[in-house]
Amino acid sequence: MAGPTSHRRRTRALTLSTALGTALALALTGCSLTSSDEPKPATDATASPDAGATTGGTVTLVTHASFVLSDGLLESFTDETGIDVEVVQPGDAGALVNQLVLTKDAPLGDAVFGIDNSFASRAITEGVLAPYTARGDAAADAAGFAVEGDDDGALTAIDFGDVCLNVDTSWFAEHELAAPTSLDDLTKPEYKDLLVVPNAVTSSPGFAFLLATVGAKGAAWPEYWTALKANGLKVADGWSDAYFTDFSGGGGQGPRPVVLSYASSPPSTVPEGGTEPTTAALLDTCFRQVEYAGVLAGAQNPTGAQALIDFLLSDEVQADIPGSMYMYPVSLGGRACPTSGRASRRSPRTRSRSRPPRSRPTATCGSRRGRTP
């Protein structure tokens, strides 16, 4: 079981993010790696809003395309605080950070959720966030996932999961070929032209996989990617294209039976009337992904943003995360484990061609269990 210290060790790798992204783009150029009455902006967002305070107005949350909570949760936040929530979703986490950087002089909203540990250092370095020390129910647990170098506390951890290679077990059975089980297998001739991964420059899972290979191969990671390229690696524009179009087991009947996704993706491939998934995750290839929230620098409603971040750390939202976004909450213990099934509704805007439904993580809910390279 990985504790807070190991997560801090993981975030030290983030200092490599800019250099690795540039190096990978250069190394794989042949792989298509091509993405007055108004409230005054806050200059210091460290002060917490008063508990139960009703500030009114609207807070705009900028987030990735997979953000969704169960019916009534955001409405309960509005009932408690008087603050309406408007959700803006510019794309995957990589696109999200890019948009925040490009619009930092005229921010898209007040708060952000979905900056993950593979893109966190860029968000911090570019100054798109204002400092804030959260005090929601799971604030102490969130502190265990603090990003190395985030001295001002601009990012607050909300949930985490594992990015892993997935294989289409049905495809391999039909072709009478043993499925790969490790990173090294993917460079073998028998697996030529079988792997697709999302672009590491713009996709958070894609960049997480890059970091996983750095963790596994150390200084030899460029040679590993060169070998992948020579063995027919395809780099898709984003996660959705890789999973839903190129992957043979993602519903699009693509030609490639190995894809980068999540450790909890396979249950979504259980056929109707069946009991077993047609895909499997390669757990020895996983990288721990942590998703963060923060107050945007220059926010029109920084107080509302702070209240919303505290709400994301509330017992109610933390308990809902496994069933709605299929990630683990940062909170510890059984209090964050849901007893009900999946969220009652999926917004087409958030679920259309975004992450597939991932299995609800109940057995290890709230734990920090998972493999990292």
Side-chain angles (χ1 to χ4, degrees):
M1 180 178 294
T5 301
S6 66
H7 283 282
R8 293 192 186 101
R9 286 198 298 267
R10 168 63 57 201
T11 57
R12 290 192 182 100
L14 301 179
T15 59
L16 296 172
S17 61
T18 302
L20 290 177
T22 302
L24 183 63
L26 292 174
L28 297 181
T29 51
C31 289
S32 301
L33 284 177
T34 48
S35 151
S36 61
D37 289 335
E38 296 178 349
K40 295 181 180 179
T43 56
D44 184 357
T46 57
S48 298
D50 292 336
T54 302
T55 60
T58 298
V59 61
T60 300
L61 175 66
V62 186
T63 184
H64 53 54
S66 295
F67 174 80
V68 64
L69 293 175
S70 292
D71 287 344
L73 265 183
L74 288 178
E75 290 79 3
S76 71
F77 172 78
T78 299
D79 291 342
E80 181 179 347
T81 64
I83 304 172
D84 292 318
V85 180
E86 179 181 342
V87 179
V88 175
Q89 295 167 298
D92 191 17
L96 172 64
V97 174
N98 287 338
Q99 287 296 311
L100 294 179
V101 172
L102 291 172
T103 61
K104 65 181 178 181
D105 293 330
L108 297 173
D110 305 298
V112 59
F113 166 74
I115 296 176
D116 78 351
N117 47 330
S118 60
F119 285 95
S121 62
R122 186 182 181 204
I124 294 169
T125 301
E126 292 286 351
V128 302
L129 302 164
Y132 174 58
T133 302
R135 64 178 195 179
D137 295 327
D141 299 317
F145 296 82
V147 175
E148 184 82 8
D150 184 14
D151 298 332
D152 293 329
L155 287 171
T156 300
I158 304 297
D159 60 36
F160 65 94
D162 293 311
V163 176
C164 313
L165 290 172
N166 280 211
V167 295
D168 181 352
T169 53
S170 295
W171 187 97
F172 283 100
E174 291 170 5
H175 289 76
E176 298 182 346
L177 176 65
T181 60
S182 67
L183 293 175
D184 288 337
D185 284 347
L186 299 173
T187 64
K188 296 177 180 178
E190 56 264 42
Y191 302 114
K192 185 176 178 62
D193 298 329
L194 300 188
L195 171 64
V196 57
V197 301
N199 191 331
V201 176
T202 57
S203 164
S204 62
F207 196 81
F209 179 62
L210 170 60
L211 293 179
T213 63
V214 173
K217 301 300 180 182
W221 71 267
E223 289 81 4
Y224 177 74
W225 279 85
T226 299
L228 286 180
K229 177 183 174 183
N231 209 37
L233 167 69
K234 179 175 180 179
V235 177
D237 287 340
W239 179 89
S240 295
D241 289 331
Y243 194 90
F244 290 112
T245 301
D246 296 305
F247 182 43
S248 59
Q253 298 182 339
R256 294 179 179 251
V258 187
V259 69
L260 186 72
S261 193
Y262 290 83
S264 48
S265 295
S268 71
T269 66
V270 175
E272 187 172 351
T275 59
E276 297 296 327
T278 60
T279 65
L282 305 184
L283 297 182
D284 287 335
T285 68
C286 297
F287 178 87
R288 175 59 49 85
Q289 181 187 52
V290 184
E291 293 187 308
Y292 297 87
V295 178
L296 290 175
Q300 292 295 307
N301 189 356
T303 302
Q306 294 165 13
L308 184 59
I309 290 172
D310 286 343
F311 177 69
L312 293 176
L313 288 175
S314 67
D315 287 339
E316 294 79 8
V317 173
Q318 289 284 293
D320 185 68
I321 284 172
S324 59
M325 290 189 282
Y326 301 89
M327 295 285 275
Y328 293 94
V330 294
S331 58
L332 300 178
R335 67 188 176 104
C337 292
T339 56
S340 60
R342 296 178 179 178
S344 58
R345 177 175 61 87
R346 293 288 181 269
S347 165
R349 181 175 62 170
T350 59
R351 282 295 168 188
S352 176
R353 292 182 65 79
S354 61
R355 294 174 186 166
R358 291 178 282 176
S359 61
R360 180 166 57 92
T362 53
T364 57
C365 176
S367 74
R368 290 176 181 152
R369 177 179 172 186
R371 297 172 185 246
T372 54

mmCIF file of all heavy atoms in Angstrom, residues 206-225:
data_model
loop_
_atom_site.group_PDB
_atom_site.id
_atom_site.type_symbol
_atom_site.label_atom_id
_atom_site.label_comp_id
_atom_site.label_asym_id
_atom_site.label_seq_id
_atom_site.Cartn_x
_atom_site.Cartn_y
_atom_site.Cartn_z
ATOM 1 N N GLY A 206 -1.662 9.905 -21.675
ATOM 2 C CA GLY A 206 -0.489 9.724 -22.523
ATOM 3 C C GLY A 206 0.783 10.159 -21.834
ATOM 4 O O GLY A 206 1.813 9.461 -21.895
ATOM 5 N N PHE A 207 0.736 11.297 -21.159
ATOM 6 C CA PHE A 207 1.925 11.753 -20.457
ATOM 7 C C PHE A 207 2.229 10.875 -19.252
ATOM 8 O O PHE A 207 3.389 10.637 -18.910
ATOM 9 C CB PHE A 207 1.775 13.212 -20.035
ATOM 10 C CG PHE A 207 3.077 13.863 -19.662
ATOM 11 C CD1 PHE A 207 3.931 14.340 -20.644
ATOM 12 C CD2 PHE A 207 3.476 13.967 -18.342
ATOM 13 C CE1 PHE A 207 5.149 14.917 -20.314
ATOM 14 C CE2 PHE A 207 4.685 14.546 -18.002
ATOM 15 C CZ PHE A 207 5.526 15.022 -18.992
ATOM 16 N N ALA A 208 1.179 10.377 -18.603
ATOM 17 C CA ALA A 208 1.374 9.453 -17.479
ATOM 18 C C ALA A 208 2.102 8.196 -17.944
ATOM 19 O O ALA A 208 2.982 7.675 -17.239
ATOM 20 C CB ALA A 208 0.030 9.090 -16.852
ATOM 21 N N PHE A 209 1.752 7.704 -19.128
ATOM 22 C CA PHE A 209 2.445 6.520 -19.648
ATOM 23 C C PHE A 209 3.907 6.830 -19.944
ATOM 24 O O PHE A 209 4.794 6.011 -19.685
ATOM 25 C CB PHE A 209 1.743 6.018 -20.907
ATOM 26 C CG PHE A 209 2.396 4.811 -21.523
ATOM 27 C CD1 PHE A 209 2.480 3.615 -20.829
ATOM 28 C CD2 PHE A 209 2.934 4.872 -22.813
ATOM 29 C CE1 PHE A 209 3.084 2.497 -21.397
ATOM 30 C CE2 PHE A 209 3.536 3.763 -23.382
ATOM 31 C CZ PHE A 209 3.614 2.572 -22.679
ATOM 32 N N LEU A 210 4.179 8.011 -20.468
ATOM 33 C CA LEU A 210 5.563 8.416 -20.682
ATOM 34 C C LEU A 210 6.339 8.383 -19.366
ATOM 35 O O LEU A 210 7.450 7.850 -19.285
ATOM 36 C CB LEU A 210 5.621 9.812 -21.297
ATOM 37 C CG LEU A 210 6.999 10.481 -21.370
ATOM 38 C CD1 LEU A 210 7.958 9.647 -22.216
ATOM 39 C CD2 LEU A 210 6.880 11.886 -21.919
ATOM 40 N N LEU A 211 5.737 8.928 -18.310
ATOM 41 C CA LEU A 211 6.401 8.927 -17.007
ATOM 42 C C LEU A 211 6.572 7.502 -16.476
ATOM 43 O O LEU A 211 7.557 7.209 -15.795
ATOM 44 C CB LEU A 211 5.613 9.776 -16.008
ATOM 45 C CG LEU A 211 5.581 11.280 -16.295
ATOM 46 C CD1 LEU A 211 4.731 12.004 -15.240
ATOM 47 C CD2 LEU A 211 6.984 11.870 -16.325
ATOM 48 N N ALA A 212 5.595 6.638 -16.781
ATOM 49 C CA ALA A 212 5.724 5.232 -16.358
ATOM 50 C C ALA A 212 6.934 4.588 -17.008
ATOM 51 O O ALA A 212 7.668 3.820 -16.371
ATOM 52 C CB ALA A 212 4.454 4.465 -16.704
ATOM 53 N N THR A 213 7.165 4.888 -18.284
ATOM 54 C CA THR A 213 8.325 4.307 -18.963
ATOM 55 C C THR A 213 9.628 4.901 -18.432
ATOM 56 O O THR A 213 10.641 4.201 -18.360
ATOM 57 C CB THR A 213 8.242 4.519 -20.489
ATOM 58 O OG1 THR A 213 8.273 5.909 -20.800
ATOM 59 C CG2 THR A 213 6.973 3.899 -21.046
ATOM 60 N N VAL A 214 9.602 6.166 -18.056
ATOM 61 C CA VAL A 214 10.789 6.766 -17.440
ATOM 62 C C VAL A 214 11.077 6.092 -16.102
ATOM 63 O O VAL A 214 12.224 5.784 -15.764
ATOM 64 C CB VAL A 214 10.605 8.285 -17.250
ATOM 65 C CG1 VAL A 214 11.766 8.875 -16.455
ATOM 66 C CG2 VAL A 214 10.503 8.988 -18.600
ATOM 67 N N GLY A 215 10.006 5.825 -15.332
ATOM 68 C CA GLY A 215 10.194 5.153 -14.054
ATOM 69 C C GLY A 215 10.733 3.747 -14.218
ATOM 70 O O GLY A 215 11.531 3.267 -13.408
ATOM 71 N N ALA A 216 10.309 3.076 -15.277
ATOM 72 C CA ALA A 216 10.739 1.696 -15.491
ATOM 73 C C ALA A 216 12.106 1.598 -16.155
ATOM 74 O O ALA A 216 12.893 0.693 -15.849
ATOM 75 C CB ALA A 216 9.705 0.960 -16.346
ATOM 76 N N LYS A 217 12.422 2.516 -17.054
ATOM 77 C CA LYS A 217 13.639 2.409 -17.867
ATOM 78 C C LYS A 217 14.730 3.391 -17.463
ATOM 79 O O LYS A 217 15.886 3.252 -17.919
ATOM 80 C CB LYS A 217 13.305 2.621 -19.345
ATOM 81 C CG LYS A 217 12.285 1.629 -19.891
ATOM 82 C CD LYS A 217 12.809 0.198 -19.770
ATOM 83 C CE LYS A 217 11.796 -0.799 -20.309
ATOM 84 N NZ LYS A 217 12.263 -2.199 -20.158
ATOM 85 N N GLY A 218 14.407 4.360 -16.640
ATOM 86 C CA GLY A 218 15.419 5.324 -16.222
ATOM 87 C C GLY A 218 15.975 6.100 -17.403
ATOM 88 O O GLY A 218 15.241 6.511 -18.310
ATOM 89 N N ALA A 219 17.289 6.257 -17.441
ATOM 90 C CA ALA A 219 17.928 7.039 -18.500
ATOM 91 C C ALA A 219 17.782 6.410 -19.875
ATOM 92 O O ALA A 219 17.999 7.076 -20.897
ATOM 93 C CB ALA A 219 19.410 7.236 -18.178
ATOM 94 N N ALA A 220 17.366 5.155 -19.923
ATOM 95 C CA ALA A 220 17.219 4.476 -21.212
ATOM 96 C C ALA A 220 15.829 4.638 -21.810
ATOM 97 O O ALA A 220 15.506 3.995 -22.811
ATOM 98 C CB ALA A 220 17.537 2.988 -21.057
ATOM 99 N N TRP A 221 15.005 5.513 -21.226
ATOM 100 C CA TRP A 221 13.648 5.647 -21.751
ATOM 101 C C TRP A 221 13.602 6.103 -23.212
ATOM 102 O O TRP A 221 12.715 5.639 -23.948
ATOM 103 C CB TRP A 221 12.807 6.580 -20.876
ATOM 104 C CG TRP A 221 13.168 8.036 -20.936
ATOM 105 C CD1 TRP A 221 14.021 8.698 -20.115
ATOM 106 C CD2 TRP A 221 12.675 9.006 -21.868
ATOM 107 N NE1 TRP A 221 14.108 10.013 -20.475
ATOM 108 C CE2 TRP A 221 13.285 10.238 -21.541
ATOM 109 C CE3 TRP A 221 11.788 8.958 -22.940
ATOM 110 C CZ2 TRP A 221 13.036 11.405 -22.261
ATOM 111 C CZ3 TRP A 221 11.528 10.120 -23.659
ATOM 112 C CH2 TRP A 221 12.137 11.327 -23.319
ATOM 113 N N PRO A 222 14.497 6.973 -23.709
ATOM 114 C CA PRO A 222 14.407 7.335 -25.129
ATOM 115 C C PRO A 222 14.622 6.135 -26.054
ATOM 116 O O PRO A 222 13.960 6.008 -27.096
ATOM 117 C CB PRO A 222 15.513 8.383 -25.304
ATOM 118 C CG PRO A 222 15.738 8.946 -23.942
ATOM 119 C CD PRO A 222 15.552 7.765 -23.038
ATOM 120 N N GLU A 223 15.553 5.247 -25.664
ATOM 121 C CA GLU A 223 15.793 4.053 -26.471
ATOM 122 C C GLU A 223 14.557 3.148 -26.483
ATOM 123 O O GLU A 223 14.249 2.512 -27.501
ATOM 124 C CB GLU A 223 17.005 3.292 -25.942
ATOM 125 C CG GLU A 223 18.337 3.975 -26.185
ATOM 126 C CD GLU A 223 18.643 5.075 -25.172
ATOM 127 O OE1 GLU A 223 17.835 5.260 -24.225
ATOM 128 O OE2 GLU A 223 19.679 5.750 -25.329
ATOM 129 N N TYR A 224 13.860 3.095 -25.342
ATOM 130 C CA TYR A 224 12.648 2.278 -25.282
ATOM 131 C C TYR A 224 11.594 2.814 -26.256
ATOM 132 O O TYR A 224 10.968 2.050 -26.999
ATOM 133 C CB TYR A 224 12.090 2.241 -23.858
ATOM 134 C CG TYR A 224 10.799 1.471 -23.766
ATOM 135 C CD1 TYR A 224 10.785 0.080 -23.844
ATOM 136 C CD2 TYR A 224 9.579 2.136 -23.640
ATOM 137 C CE1 TYR A 224 9.598 -0.630 -23.787
ATOM 138 C CE2 TYR A 224 8.384 1.438 -23.586
ATOM 139 C CZ TYR A 224 8.402 0.052 -23.657
ATOM 140 O OH TYR A 224 7.223 -0.657 -23.613
ATOM 141 N N TRP A 225 11.414 4.135 -26.285
ATOM 142 C CA TRP A 225 10.429 4.719 -27.195
ATOM 143 C C TRP A 225 10.859 4.558 -28.652
ATOM 144 O O TRP A 225 10.015 4.381 -29.541
ATOM 145 C CB TRP A 225 10.188 6.188 -26.846
ATOM 146 C CG TRP A 225 9.229 6.333 -25.705
ATOM 147 C CD1 TRP A 225 9.518 6.293 -24.375
ATOM 148 C CD2 TRP A 225 7.819 6.495 -25.811
ATOM 149 N NE1 TRP A 225 8.369 6.418 -23.634
ATOM 150 C CE2 TRP A 225 7.307 6.552 -24.491
ATOM 151 C CE3 TRP A 225 6.937 6.608 -26.884
ATOM 152 C CZ2 TRP A 225 5.950 6.711 -24.224
ATOM 153 C CZ3 TRP A 225 5.576 6.766 -26.623
ATOM 154 C CH2 TRP A 225 5.098 6.814 -25.305
#
